[in-house]
Amino acid sequence: MVAVQTERIMISETAYFDTYLLHNSKEYNCGKKRPIVIVCPGGGYAFTSDREAEVIALKFNSIGLNSAVLWYTTGDKIKNAPANAWVEAARTVNYIRERAEQWLIDEENVIICGFSAGGHVALQLATRWNDPKLAEQIGVPSEQLKVNLAIVGYPLVYQEKAFPIEDMGFGATLISKPLTANERFFGEKRPSKEAISSMNILNHMNEQTPPMFIWHTTEDKLVEVTHSLQLGEALARANIPFELHVFEKGEHGLALADRTTARKSSHLNPHVAKWFELCEGWLQPYID
């Protein structure tokens, strides 16, 4: 059993993050600063999945890292959810860096992790943490928002075109006037080419993009494996270190692919479950 300290931190009226900080033992690693992994659950920007949240954070705790789960704003609470989530992720990083001494956080190892749409959130911050507009909006220097490493599973990397205008998206039956999928994702019913381009992670790669660990499955029908393949190609062109694992079998949303995150039998995949061990091996030279 890993002893952790938990706290819920509100960063807006509709978003918060939960901390999972390892206990500062008096017997081992006393006073040691540890890396922190900020986990962004998926859910198509309509909701945030429990299967990609606390259980992932605790898994990172089990290998000696601090963690947090970002519950960014989703659903019909706000238009242009991805752009808003980008800011909420940055506010989370800023809050954590401001308390690095108190929480014993290694400021050189602030790691963002995400799955599916949460992978899009993670990738937005990984590639755009140094955007001057972001620093201006939050009121801190860009370095305060820096992401040192990124870990993404079956990430949404781009949305090639707008959704059909009649598509009301998730939650349409829950409230009287739901947003269209376009409003939720792009901020407008008929998004411009510029709006669509701004949500494409491939357009934001730069020399300050951090090293990445990426994994996907070829059988993923919801977010096709080409998203991760193109992400890897873009990182290679930019000379950004990365590790990419593509597993043949497995549906979308496998999370840890073991019994701790399985909702149905098809979520159990012992081969894909090795992604976490591979990730730990990739992390080792960066964090040790």
Side-chain angles (χ1 to χ4, degrees), residues 10 14 38 47 51 84 115 153 155-156 176 221 254 277 282:
M10 300 299 301
T14 54
I38 302 167
F47 65 100
R51 296 180 54 251
N84 189 70
F115 301 84
L156 178 69
S176 57
K221 302 301 182 185
L254 288 181
E277 181 182 349
W282 173 79

Side-chain angles (χ1 to χ4, degrees), residues 109-122:
N109 277 305
V110 175
I111 305 163
I112 194 86
C113 172
F115 301 84
S116 194
H120 189 261
V121 176

Side-chain angles (χ1 to χ4, degrees), residues 22-260:
L22 291 171
H23 175 64
N24 183 23
S25 172
K26 302 301 181 183
E27 295 185 19
Y28 65 95
N29 294 329
C30 184
K32 178 184 178 181
K33 287 189 171 184
R34 301 174 185 269
I36 187 165
V37 181
I38 302 167
V39 179
C40 305
Y45 284 113
F47 65 100
T48 40
S49 172
D50 285 343
R51 296 180 54 251
E52 297 159 344
E54 181 180 73
V55 68
I56 306 292
L58 293 174
K59 189 71 171 179
F60 281 111
N61 286 157
S62 75
I63 62 170
L65 309 184
N66 290 310
S67 62
V69 174
L70 170 59
W71 302 94
Y72 52 93
T73 305
T74 59
D76 291 314
K77 296 175 184 176
I78 193 168
K79 291 183 179 181
N80 204 347
N84 189 70
W86 172 51
V87 177
E88 291 172 343
R91 291 190 185 280
T92 300
V93 170
N94 178 55
Y95 194 101
I96 287 170
R97 285 192 185 278
E98 286 181 341
R99 287 153 184 79
E101 292 297 325
Q102 175 187 345
W103 289 352
L104 294 178
I105 303 296
D106 178 1
E107 293 183 80
E108 299 303 313
N109 277 305
V110 175
I111 305 163
I112 194 86
C113 172
F115 301 84
S116 194
H120 189 261
V121 176
L123 289 170
Q124 281 197 97
L125 192 59
T127 57
R128 301 173 64 197
W129 63 265
N130 53 351
D131 188 321
K133 294 179 181 178
L134 183 64
E136 182 180 354
Q137 182 170 347
I138 296 178
V140 297
S142 288
E143 282 295 312
Q144 188 73 3
L145 309 176
K146 184 175 182 178
V147 173
N148 302 98
L149 298 168
I151 300 165
V152 288
Y154 40 92
L156 178 69
V157 175
Y158 49 80
Q159 185 64 45
E160 293 180 299
K161 58 184 179 180
F163 302 94
I165 195 64
E166 67 274 8
D167 179 7
M168 302 304 284
F170 292 97
T173 61
L174 301 181
I175 60 177
S176 57
K177 294 183 179 180
L179 298 174
T180 66
N182 285 334
E183 287 177 303
R184 184 185 299 116
F185 199 88
F186 300 109
E188 48 193 316
K189 289 184 178 180
R190 292 177 173 83
S192 64
K193 290 182 179 179
E194 290 74 19
I196 295 172
S197 177
S198 71
M199 290 297 104
N200 189 335
I201 300 301
L202 304 178
N203 295 332
H204 299 295
M205 211 69 64
N206 61 78
E207 65 277 1
Q208 291 183 301
T209 296
M212 293 190 188
F213 179 93
I214 311 157
W215 71 274
H216 217 123
T217 62
T218 61
E219 291 185 339
D220 193 328
K221 302 301 182 185
L222 191 57
V223 178
E224 294 183 353
V225 70
T226 50
H227 283 247
S228 287
L229 295 176
Q230 290 185 45
L231 177 60
E233 289 177 356
L235 290 166
R237 287 194 298 270
N239 293 315
I240 304 298
F242 72 97
E243 186 162 315
L244 170 61
H245 294 274
V246 177
F247 300 92
E248 180 184 358
K249 303 294 183 180
E251 63 189 72
H252 184 78
L254 288 181
L256 290 176
D258 63 13
R259 65 171 59 88
T260 59

